[in-house]
Amino acid sequence: MEDKEEISSENYANWFALYHLCQNIGSRKAIHISSVEFGKILNLSQQTASRRINQLEDIGWIQRKITGKDQIIRITKKGADVMLAMYKDLKQILEEILIVGEVTEGMGEGGYYVRIKEYYDQFREKLGFKPYFGTLNIQLSDLNKELLEENLKNRIPFIIQGFEKEEEGYIKRKYGSVECYDCIVSRLDDQTKKINGAILKIKRTHHKKNIVEILAEPYLRDILKLKDGVRVRIELIKKS
Amino acid sequence: MEDKEEISSENYANWFALYHLCQNIGSRKAIHISSVEFGKILNLSQQTASRRINQLEDIGWIQRKITGKDQIIRITKKGADVMLAMYKDLKQILEEILIVGEVTEGMGEGGYYVRIKEYYDQFREKLGFKPYFGTLNIQLSDLNKELLEENLKNRIPFIIQGFEKEEEGYIKRKYGSVECYDCIVSRLDDQTKKINGAILKIKRTHHKKNIVEILAEPYLRDILKLKDGVRVRIELIKKS
DNA sequence: ATTACTAATATCCGAGTAG
DNA sequence: TCTACTCGGATATTAGTAA
């Protein structure tokens, strides 16, 4: 609460100054930096940069040692806390935004996949349950989609292998592989029921519509009483 | 690059305005908010808040619909990108800072633990190798320690169980449990050799000194040619 | 109620320059 | 060289209102 007050009051400039300092300190403990150099980083004059440094010191976000023409700056615990607080906050904001979407009527590809025996057997084995013969389609906003993609990057999917099969007429058809991420689905307005499922990520998918497909054992529309437009939460699970 | 220019130039205020908007939008798609309310959030007058909203719209970070006395605001993809960029950047900064410390002479507790048979057998089994009979002690800055703690929170340790043992004189002594986190250690100035190890987190530890103890199979001081003061990188591994 | 313009004012920035 | 002061000009904010 207090930290936030400190940041949000009106010293945006100081916050950004600290942020840029951290960027330039990198993995070192401290940094030698002149006010001219710091000014260049911040797109400010030497004078203002100098003032910034003084202010940061006054606030207690940095500590400074001036020896002759040299100044060594290091971030204090208080300063680190400020950065950490912002990081945590952003993380929370982004993750909170991330995990909400709207149920939508789907001619989802996923539903098609799950009905094919070669896929179904793999789903069954790798999910640990017999999935329902169709997927729940969730419409995401651009923001949500963006964030989901970013988040999935950090996770290890389990892969449903592709395969080839001879169709009637002796044409060989290729079936692509599918990436799956464990998740938990629930109604946003009623968090009592949480259902395990998986996000399906099909390789060659329509990029335009931000639709995510969920596979689960029960028929989600029934068990969660979902209709089109109902908002659901998709929680990503730590380990797959 | 361009994004950063956009943020860092001088519109700190706009960035923070967007940030606070996101905070208040939460999991919703959009938000009804008057300029008075928004002003309160930002600690600004209604007039300035109104101007901010206009600016955010001009920049293209938000989209707005005014219908009579109502205005509905939603974040655009461009706006979301700005937030994401900052998040990623902070994450990188913090993680980069996080993983560097200095080798220090240690009378580390960990070294004591690893020499006790009951512990050693567990280490051997759970690490998958026979650890060296001592730990490498890494001195962290306050900032690093803070960040490490924060980061470890999100990880699942493997636990070396505590036990009781009768000492000479029939006194029963209690040995506490130890948490371990897989990691990779390397010299900061020479990343060619990367050694697998584990961070030891002993329950009842001295809080004052920011020292982390690393357990590994080889004698790290030899294999990495470490002396006191040499900076090493500790990479945390995704899965334990 | 609202949003947002204009004019007054508070704040910030950088040139000049001292220490 | 450095940092950091003063002060005039630039910029941002707010009060008073209009729409």
Side-chain angles (χ1 to χ4, degrees):
Chain A
M1 213 73 222
E2 276 188 333
D3 277 0
K4 271 191 200 160
E5 226 63 62
E6 252 185 307
I7 301 172
S8 72
S9 57
E10 57 264 332
N11 44 16
Y12 308 140
N14 284 332
W15 192 90
F16 270 88
L18 181 72
Y19 160 62
H20 280 114
L21 257 179
C22 285
Q23 273 188 318
N24 283 276
I25 287 182
S27 66
R28 281 154 297 165
K29 270 189 171 176
I31 189 175
H32 288 255
I33 194 169
S34 73
S35 52
V36 178
E37 289 172 300
F38 191 46
K40 266 182 201 149
I41 291 168
L42 297 173
N43 259 314
L44 288 171
S45 69
Q46 172 271 321
Q47 292 88 335
T48 305
S50 169
R51 213 190 355 249
R52 267 305 124 69
I53 293 171
N54 277 322
Q55 286 165 349
L56 289 178
E57 205 180 8
D58 287 343
I59 308 171
W61 290 357
I62 65 166
Q63 213 170 45
R64 185 165 52 146
K65 235 187 213 160
I66 313 174
T67 52
K69 51 179 81 179
D70 237 28
Q71 81 185 338
I72 299 168
I73 294 171
R74 58 169 225 84
I75 313 290
T76 62
K77 171 150 167 41
K78 201 175 169 191
D81 282 345
V82 170
M83 294 291 290
L84 244 187
M86 174 61 90
Y87 169 68
K88 281 196 226 170
D89 206 31
L90 278 178
K91 191 174 163 186
Q92 206 218 316
I93 291 172
L94 294 179
E95 281 177 2
E96 186 176 306
I97 295 171
L98 164 67
I99 53 179
V100 175
E102 229 170 60
V103 173
T104 180
E105 227 318 277
M107 16 79 207
E109 265 188 278
Y112 164 75
Y113 278 72
V114 79
R115 274 184 220 103
I116 297 169
K117 190 185 182 319
E118 284 85 349
Y119 283 122
Y120 190 84
D121 290 344
Q122 287 190 64
F123 278 126
R124 195 173 153 181
E125 183 202 340
K126 286 173 186 170
L127 289 167
F129 58 77
K130 292 169 72 174
Y132 179 77
F133 276 100
T135 56
L136 182 71
N137 296 332
I138 313 281
Q139 172 80 250
L140 302 177
S141 67
D142 287 344
L143 174 51
N144 287 25
K145 188 59 189 292
E146 184 90 350
L147 292 168
L148 180 66
E149 292 297 338
E150 175 60 24
N151 203 313
L152 290 185
K153 267 188 212 158
N154 299 324
R155 291 166 193 277
I156 301 153
F158 56 90
I159 314 274
I160 303 296
Q161 299 295 343
F163 56 91
E164 287 190 353
K165 200 166 113 176
E166 270 184 30
E167 308 285 273
E168 317 98 79
Y170 304 109
I171 301 153
K172 241 188 188 169
R173 215 201 117 171
K174 253 187 152 175
Y175 291 81
S177 64
V178 184
E179 291 184 358
C180 299
Y181 299 83
D182 283 323
C183 70
I184 293 171
V185 192
S186 56
R187 284 182 73 107
L188 190 62
D189 57 7
D190 175 8
Q191 294 281 312
T192 52
K193 269 190 198 155
K194 286 172 178 272
I195 313 295
N196 282 297
I199 294 175
L200 261 54
K201 219 178 141 191
I202 298 137
K203 276 288 152 70
R204 44 177 189 87
T205 312
H206 34 73
H207 287 278
K208 49 211 163 174
K209 286 200 168 184
N210 300 336
I211 289 174
V212 160
E213 301 193 45
I214 310 279
L215 203 57
E217 184 168 24
Y219 182 43
L220 289 169
R221 280 181 179 264
D222 267 3
I223 204 161
L224 293 176
K225 298 189 185 88
L226 301 174
K227 287 178 192 167
D228 289 358
V230 169
R231 274 153 71 215
V232 294
R233 164 159 290 163
I234 307 166
E235 269 173 85
L236 295 169
I237 304 176
K238 289 230 165 166
K239 301 201 166 199
S240 58
Chain B
M1 209 77 225
E2 276 191 332
D3 278 359
K4 270 191 198 158
E5 225 62 61
E6 252 185 309
I7 300 171
S8 72
S9 55
E10 58 263 329
N11 43 17
Y12 309 139
N14 284 331
W15 192 90
F16 269 89
L18 181 71
Y19 161 63
H20 279 115
L21 258 179
C22 285
Q23 275 188 316
N24 283 276
I25 287 182
S27 66
R28 282 156 294 166
K29 271 190 170 175
I31 189 175
H32 288 254
I33 195 169
S34 72
S35 52
V36 178
E37 290 173 298
F38 192 45
K40 267 182 200 147
I41 291 169
L42 297 173
N43 260 313
L44 288 170
S45 68
Q46 171 271 320
Q47 292 88 335
T48 306
S50 169
R51 200 151 30 84
R52 269 301 124 71
I53 293 171
N54 277 321
Q55 285 166 348
L56 288 178
E57 205 181 7
D58 286 345
I59 307 170
W61 290 357
I62 65 165
Q63 214 170 48
R64 185 164 53 147
K65 236 186 212 163
I66 312 173
T67 52
K69 52 178 81 181
D70 239 28
Q71 80 184 339
I72 299 166
I73 294 171
R74 56 171 226 84
I75 314 290
T76 62
K77 174 155 167 33
K78 202 175 169 189
D81 283 344
V82 170
M83 294 291 290
L84 242 188
M86 174 60 91
Y87 168 69
K88 281 195 221 169
D89 207 30
L90 277 178
K91 192 174 164 186
Q92 205 219 314
I93 291 173
L94 295 179
E95 281 176 3
E96 185 176 306
I97 294 171
L98 164 68
I99 54 179
V100 176
E102 232 170 57
V103 173
T104 181
E105 227 320 278
M107 16 78 205
E109 267 188 277
Y112 164 76
Y113 277 72
V114 78
R115 275 184 220 103
I116 297 168
K117 192 189 180 317
E118 284 84 349
Y119 283 122
Y120 190 83
D121 291 344
Q122 287 188 66
F123 278 125
R124 194 173 154 182
E125 184 202 340
K126 287 173 187 171
L127 289 167
F129 59 78
K130 292 169 73 174
Y132 178 77
F133 275 100
T135 55
L136 181 72
N137 295 332
I138 312 282
Q139 172 80 250
L140 301 178
S141 68
D142 287 344
L143 174 52
N144 286 27
K145 187 59 190 289
E146 184 89 351
L147 292 169
L148 180 65
E149 292 297 339
E150 175 60 24
N151 203 314
L152 290 185
K153 267 188 212 159
N154 300 324
R155 291 166 194 280
I156 300 152
F158 56 90
I159 314 275
I160 303 297
Q161 298 295 343
F163 56 91
E164 288 189 353
K165 201 167 116 175
E166 270 183 30
E167 309 285 275
E168 316 97 82
Y170 304 107
I171 300 153
K172 241 189 187 167
R173 214 200 118 171
K174 254 190 152 174
Y175 291 80
S177 64
V178 184
E179 291 184 359
C180 299
Y181 299 84
D182 284 323
C183 71
I184 294 170
V185 192
S186 56
R187 285 182 71 107
L188 190 61
D189 57 6
D190 175 9
Q191 295 281 310
T192 52
K193 270 190 196 154
K194 287 171 176 274
I195 313 295
N196 282 296
I199 294 175
L200 260 54
K201 219 178 140 191
I202 298 137
K203 276 287 155 67
R204 43 178 190 86
T205 312
H206 34 75
H207 287 279
K208 49 216 160 169
K209 286 200 169 185
N210 301 336
I211 289 174
V212 160
E213 301 193 46
I214 310 280
L215 202 57
E217 184 168 25
Y219 182 43
L220 288 169
R221 279 181 181 265
D222 267 2
I223 203 162
L224 293 178
K225 298 189 184 86
L226 301 175
K227 288 178 192 166
D228 289 357
V230 169
R231 275 153 71 215
V232 294
R233 164 158 292 165
I234 306 166
E235 269 173 84
L236 295 169
I237 303 177
K238 290 232 164 164
K239 301 204 163 196
S240 58

